[in-house]
Amino acid sequence: MTNTQIIEETITFVKETLKGAEGGHDWFHIQRVFKNTLLIAKDEKVDVLVVSLGALLHDIADAKFNAGDETVGPKMAAEFLTSLNIEKKVLDHVVKIIENISFKSTLDSKKSFTSKELDVVQDADRLDAIGAIGIARAFNYGGFKNRELYNPEIAPNLQMTKEEYKKSDAPTINHFYEKLLLLKDKMNTKSGKKLAEKRHQFMLDYLEQFYKEWNGNA
C-alpha cells in the first residue's frame, strides 16, 4: 500500500472504532489533532507517515475509558498496523508515540523516549486541549464524569503525581490550573509555541469572566 492508502485505511478504522465515544475524545478530536499535526510538521524535519499515524491512533483506546489501563491503546494500534503490514520501524515508533503522548506521562520521572515525531504529535494534541475547544472539551468530560463546575473550597493540586492525576475527581475549573494553563510552556516546537499563545490567552480571559459571573460581578 502507498502511504496515502495506509492513512485512508487508518482513518476508516479510527472512525469506526470511536463511534459513540465521549465528545472530547471522539473522531472529531482525532481529526483536529491530525490537522494540527500536519500543520506543525510543515516546519519540522519529521517522518510524515509516522506523525500522521501517531495522530490518528493516539487516542484509539484512551486509558481513562479503559479502567486506567495504559496498555490497551498501544496494543490495539500495534495489532491494526500489523494487519496493514506496516514496516516494523514505523510501527514501533507510532506505538512509542501513543505510549508517551499524554500529559500524565510528563508527570512520570521514568519517561525516557523522545523523538521529533513525538514532539509534533504531542504539540498537536495539546493544542486541542487549550483555547475555545479545550474549554469545551474540559467541561464536556467534567459533565461526563458528573464533576462540579467549580468549588471555591477545593483548591487545585499543583504538585500531583501521575497516579494522583489519574484518580482526580476535582471540579473542572481546577483542571485549568492542574493542566490546561501549563501546556503553553510545555510545547515542544516553535510552531506549537506560537499557536498556543492565542489559545492560552483565551483561557485566561474566559476564567476572568467566569469568576466575575460566579461572584455576581458581571
Side-chain angles (χ1 to χ4, degrees):
M1 282 191 288
T2 65
N3 287 358
T4 299
Q5 290 172 322
I6 291 169
I7 291 171
E8 289 175 351
E9 287 287 331
T10 305
I11 288 172
T12 299
F13 170 70
V14 174
K15 281 183 175 180
E16 183 63 30
T17 303
L18 295 182
K19 275 185 178 177
E22 181 267 331
H25 299 81
D26 58 4
W27 160 247
F28 293 112
H29 163 62
I30 302 299
Q31 186 179 55
R32 291 189 302 269
V33 173
F34 181 45
K35 290 178 179 178
N36 287 341
T37 293
L38 295 180
L39 179 63
I40 295 171
K42 290 179 181 179
D43 298 322
E44 302 293 330
K45 293 181 179 179
V46 293
D47 185 320
V48 176
L49 179 61
V50 169
V51 296
S52 296
L53 293 175
L56 290 169
L57 294 167
H58 82 279
D59 261 349
I60 196 64
D62 191 302
K64 57 181 162 285
F65 302 112
N66 289 276
D69 189 342
E70 296 176 41
T71 67
V72 178
K75 182 180 178 181
M76 187 181 294
E79 289 175 350
F80 169 71
L81 293 175
T82 298
S83 75
L84 296 184
N85 294 315
I86 296 295
E87 183 183 358
K88 188 178 188 303
K89 182 174 71 172
V90 173
L91 187 156
D92 290 345
H93 197 163
V94 172
V95 169
K96 284 292 186 182
I97 288 173
I98 297 168
E99 290 175 338
N100 291 276
I101 191 174
S102 71
F103 174 76
K104 63 181 178 290
S105 293
T106 67
L107 303 176
D108 188 349
S109 59
K110 297 177 182 178
K111 180 184 174 184
S112 59
F113 177 78
T114 60
S115 78
K116 289 296 294 182
E117 285 77 10
L118 171 59
D119 288 348
V120 168
V121 182
Q122 193 171 58
D123 278 7
D125 189 37
R126 287 172 173 174
L127 283 173
D128 205 55
I130 59 179
I133 294 278
I135 292 170
R137 290 181 67 214
F139 283 107
N140 190 84
Y141 184 72
F144 178 79
K145 299 294 286 186
N146 196 32
R147 293 178 178 173
E148 294 178 288
L149 294 179
Y150 173 53
N151 186 331
E153 297 181 3
I154 302 176
N157 181 357
L158 304 181
Q159 302 295 328
M160 275 194 289
T161 64
K162 181 179 178 180
E163 287 306 310
E164 287 173 332
Y165 180 84
K166 288 171 68 174
K167 295 175 182 177
S168 175
D169 60 357
T172 297
I173 285 293
N174 288 30
H175 190 58
F176 283 74
Y177 300 96
E178 294 168 348
K179 176 184 177 180
L180 307 189
L181 292 173
L182 306 179
L183 294 180
K184 176 178 71 70
D185 293 330
K186 290 181 175 290
M187 303 301 280
N188 304 297
T189 66
K190 185 176 180 180
S191 296
K193 294 177 191 295
K194 183 177 179 180
L195 291 166
E197 289 286 347
K198 187 174 181 180
R199 298 188 188 207
H200 181 83
Q201 186 59 51
F202 186 91
M203 292 191 297
L204 294 177
D205 294 341
Y206 172 82
L207 287 170
E208 181 179 358
Q209 182 66 19
F210 181 94
Y211 292 127
K212 284 180 179 178
E213 293 180 16
W214 184 274
N215 293 314
N217 296 327

